[in-house]
Amino acid sequence: MRSRRIASVVAISAVAALVPALTPAVASANAPAATISPRTATAASLADFTGQKPRWKRCNPQDPAAFQCATIKVPLDYTRPNGRTLDIAISRVKATSDRDRRGVLLLNPGGPGGSGLDMPLYMGPELPASVKKQYDLIGFDPRGVAQSSPVSCGLTPEEGNWQRPYKADKFAADVAWARTVAEKCRAKSGAVLPHLTTRNTARDMDVIRAVLGEKKISYLGYSYGTYLGAVYTQLFPRRTDRFVLDSAVDPARIWRGMIQVWAEGAEPAFTRWTGWTAARHTTYGLGATPSEVRQTFWDLVAQADRKPIDLEGTLLNGDDIRSARQVFFNPEWAADLVAQLKKAAETGTPATAPARRSVAPERVPSSFARAVPEDNMDAAFWSVVCADTRAWPRDPEQYRRDAIKDKVKYPLYGDFASNIKPCAFWQQGSEPATRIDNKVGALILQNEWDSQTPLVSGQGLRRVMKGARMATVLGGQGHGVYGTKSCADRTATAYLTTGRLPASDVTCQAAANPAANGLLDPAPGTPGLPIPQDRF
C-alpha cells in the first residue's frame, strides 16, 4: 500500500416517450448484443423501469432542502429485463427558473467508480447562474458504485494497491496478486461483474432520462465520464442534447492503453519541468540546465534505492518517487517536492511535502445511505476497466515484455503502466467494446497539461466524434477544465445555454498565474472532484 500512502503524502492522490427510448430505433447499429428489442423484452417489462415515479426526499438534513435524492430500479442485464435488478441512486437540484428551464443536465465525476450523487450540490457554486436557470442538475451513482447496489470483491488495502513497478524477481508475485484480485472479485460478485460496463451505465442514463420525463438529456462528464457520455451519444444519438465532455478519454485506448498513456504523457511533462526548474536554479538549486536537473532527479532516485528518504514519516525508495508522475504536470509542485527530497537525502532529516490546496472528501448523504464496502471504488474500477473491452492480453508474459520495453521508452512510469493487471484474469464482459464513430454534436474540453487524460487522449476522442468541437487550453494544467475559471469556461457556458458550438475547434491561453489548475487542484473554497489520481 506504500504507493498510495506516498501519493497521499505528496498530495497528488487525490422517462414522455418511454418505451421507444430503449429500442433499436434510437440505438447505434453497433449495439446489438444487449439492446432491448421485441425479441428480448416485452413493452410491459420495459415500462416497469421507464414508468417509475421517483420518491424524492431530502438527501441530508444538513444540506439545502432543494437537494433531493431518490432510488430507481434498472435491469442488471438489459437482455433479461424481467430478471435481477439494481438500484440506481439519483439526486437533483431543480432549475432556478421555471420560465427558462430547458431540461436536465446529468453530471458524472469520472472514475470508473466515482460517486456522482453529490455533484449537484458541490458543482452548483461552480456553474454559472445562466446554466442553473436552464437545467435541473442531476447527479447519480453509476451501477455498482456507492449508493447504487455497490459491488465488492472483499479486497484488502494491500490488494487494492496496483501501482506496481516491474521487477524481474517480483513479477511472479505481481502475477499472483493480479490473479487473486480477479478470483476474489469473481467469487464474491461474479454474477454481477459482466454487466458492470460503461455500455450498461449509458443505458441506465437513458432510463433516468425516461423516469424524469425528458425527451433528451444534456450532460457534463469529466474524465471517465467523457467516455460514458460518448457511449451514450453512440447508443442514443436522438436522445442527446448538449454534451460537454471534459478531460477526455480516447475510446481507441480503453482501457490498458489509457493507463499506458499516463507513461507516454509523463515524459514531455517531465522534460517541460526540467526546463522550468533550470530557469529557477537560484530558487531550487537542482541544476542550471535541463540536463543537470534531469541528472539531479535520477541521482535522487538511485540514492533513494540505496537508502530510502523520509517524507513526513514515510520512507520513499526510487520507485516510490517515480510513481509520483502526476506532480510533474505542475512544475512548481515538482520542483518543491524534489528540492525537499534532495535536502532530506543530504541532511538525513525528514522532508516536508509541498503545501497543496485541499480537495473536499467524498461524503454520503446521511439520510439517504447504505453501507458501502471499503473496497467499492477499487471493485467498481476493475469491473468497468476489465469488462468494457476484450482487448486485455491473457498471457502474463506479454505484460512482462511490455513492462521491460516501456521502462526504457518511458523511464518515469512506463513499467508501472504496462505491468500486469487483474484484467489479465478477468471474466469476459457481457458485450464487446462500444465503437465510437458518430456525428453527434458535443463540446470536448482539454487542458494541454493534464496528467490523467493527456492532450493526445482528448484529441483521440475528437477524431471519432466528428460532429463535436474541441476547446483546448494551451498551458492549462490539471485534470478538469469547466468550473475552474478557465479561459474555456465561456465557450462551454455559451454551448450549454444556447446550443451553439464553435464553428471549428478552438484554443485559448491559460492565465500566467491561474487561480486553479483543474478540478483536482481547485481554487480555495472549491470542493473539487473526489477522484484519486490513479483513476480517470
Side-chain angles (χ1 to χ4, degrees):
M1 209 34 207
R2 172 156 50 177
S3 182
R4 283 198 177 178
R5 293 203 312 271
I6 299 346
S8 176
V9 171
V10 299
I12 58 171
S13 64
V15 222
L18 301 177
V19 173
L22 294 171
T23 64
V26 295
S28 162
N30 67 16
T35 299
I36 292 178
S37 73
R39 292 191 299 275
T40 59
T42 66
S45 66
L46 288 179
D48 288 342
F49 299 103
T50 59
Q52 298 175 78
K53 301 298 182 184
R55 297 180 179 179
W56 295 105
K57 62 181 181 180
R58 193 170 184 170
C59 298
N60 189 324
Q62 297 177 344
D63 291 332
F67 181 46
Q68 299 176 313
C69 289
T71 299
I72 64 173
K73 299 285 185 180
V74 297
L76 170 65
D77 181 350
Y78 275 86
T79 68
R80 296 177 175 83
N82 291 311
R84 182 172 175 178
T85 64
L86 299 175
D87 291 340
I88 300 295
I90 60 176
S91 63
R92 73 175 179 186
V93 172
K94 288 185 176 182
T96 59
S97 170
D98 292 337
R99 183 187 66 183
D100 297 317
R101 183 187 182 276
R102 177 177 179 82
V104 296
L105 181 68
L106 270 66
L107 307 169
N108 181 273
S115 170
L117 196 63
D118 275 358
M119 285 190 75
L121 189 64
Y122 68 71
M123 284 299 295
E126 312 312 316
L127 296 175
S130 57
V131 171
K132 291 182 287 187
K133 284 172 58 177
Q134 294 194 28
Y135 297 100
D136 296 350
L137 304 182
I138 306 297
F140 67 102
D141 284 346
R143 57 172 50 206
V145 174
Q147 301 304 301
S148 293
S149 298
V151 67
S152 173
C153 297
L155 301 178
T156 66
E158 179 56 33
E159 289 166 341
N161 175 30
W162 58 281
Q163 299 296 332
R164 295 169 181 261
Y166 173 77
K167 301 289 184 184
D169 60 341
K170 294 182 179 179
F171 184 67
D174 289 341
V175 172
W177 160 78
R179 182 181 284 110
T180 296
V181 171
E183 289 176 349
K184 290 183 73 170
C185 288
R186 187 179 300 116
K188 193 172 182 65
S189 302
V192 174
L193 296 182
H195 306 287
L196 297 184
T197 63
T198 301
R199 199 177 180 95
N200 278 330
T201 299
R203 294 184 176 108
D204 297 342
M205 286 170 54
D206 204 58
V207 172
I208 294 172
R209 174 202 62 75
V211 166
L212 296 177
E214 301 291 333
K215 293 182 178 180
K216 294 185 177 184
I217 59 171
S218 293
Y219 179 79
L220 170 60
Y222 294 89
S223 198
Y224 162 74
T226 66
Y227 180 64
L228 173 59
V231 170
Y232 186 91
T233 69
Q234 192 70 34
L235 298 182
F236 304 103
R238 299 179 192 173
R239 304 297 182 184
T240 299
D241 195 10
R242 300 168 185 178
F243 271 47
V244 175
L245 308 177
D246 190 319
S247 307
V249 165
D250 182 352
R253 297 176 184 247
I254 63 160
W255 282 106
R256 189 179 186 220
M258 280 305 302
I259 295 173
Q260 290 173 317
V261 82
W262 290 347
E264 179 184 337
E267 292 302 321
F270 182 81
T271 298
R272 171 178 175 249
W273 169 72
T274 62
W276 187 94
T277 304
R280 295 159 179 80
H281 177 56
T282 55
T283 300
Y284 298 104
L286 298 177
T289 67
S291 61
E292 288 179 1
V293 174
R294 184 180 295 268
Q295 189 62 49
T296 296
F297 175 79
W298 288 110
D299 287 347
L300 186 67
V301 168
Q303 184 172 355
D305 277 335
R306 295 189 298 270
K307 182 179 180 181
I309 300 171
D310 188 334
L311 178 64
E312 297 184 355
T314 298
L315 296 179
L316 309 186
N317 62 29
D319 290 330
D320 297 326
I321 295 173
R322 289 196 300 124
S323 75
R325 55 142 193 113
Q326 301 98 326
V327 78
F328 292 100
F329 288 80
N330 185 307
E332 184 175 358
W333 292 348
D336 284 344
L337 176 62
V338 174
Q340 287 278 357
L341 294 177
K342 181 174 181 288
K343 179 180 178 181
E346 292 169 347
T347 64
T349 58
T352 302
R356 179 173 182 248
R357 292 186 290 267
S358 63
V359 174
E362 184 175 2
R363 62 173 193 90
V364 176
S366 62
S367 64
F368 187 79
R370 72 173 79 201
V372 177
E374 291 186 7
D375 71 331
N376 176 244
M377 181 172 277
D378 289 324
F381 177 82
W382 291 122
S383 297
V384 173
V385 166
C386 298
D388 257 2
T389 174
R390 298 172 181 176
W392 286 91
R394 295 293 182 176
D395 180 7
E397 287 304 311
Q398 181 67 55
Y399 294 89
R400 182 201 297 270
R401 291 190 295 269
D402 290 348
I404 292 171
K405 176 190 66 178
D406 287 346
K407 186 172 184 177
V408 175
K409 190 174 183 180
Y410 307 118
L412 194 64
Y413 195 75
D415 55 324
F416 284 88
S418 290
N419 202 0
I420 196 162
K421 306 293 187 289
C423 301
F425 305 103
W426 207 263
Q427 65 192 105
Q428 187 170 274
S430 60
E431 303 172 80
T434 303
R435 180 171 175 263
I436 308 299
D437 181 15
N438 64 56
K439 296 181 180 179
V440 177
L443 179 65
I444 300 168
L445 303 180
Q446 189 69 42
N447 275 329
E448 182 180 11
W449 297 103
D450 184 327
S451 64
Q452 304 310 105
T453 52
L455 179 59
V456 66
S457 175
Q459 293 167 338
L461 180 61
R462 174 65 181 89
R463 279 194 296 272
V464 296
M465 293 194 68
K466 301 174 180 64
R469 296 293 182 267
M470 184 168 174
T472 304
V473 182
L474 298 178
Q477 297 178 163
H479 188 47
V481 178
Y482 193 45
T484 64
K485 299 179 175 60
S486 156
C487 60
D489 276 18
R490 181 178 298 180
T491 301
T493 297
Y495 171 55
L496 286 173
T497 55
T498 70
R500 292 193 295 270
L501 285 167
S504 60
D505 292 349
V506 298
T507 60
C508 65
Q509 187 69 45
N513 295 296
N517 287 308
L519 288 175
L520 287 175
D521 171 37
T526 301
L529 294 178
I531 301 299
Q533 289 265 42
D534 58 354
R535 298 291 189 270
F536 303 100

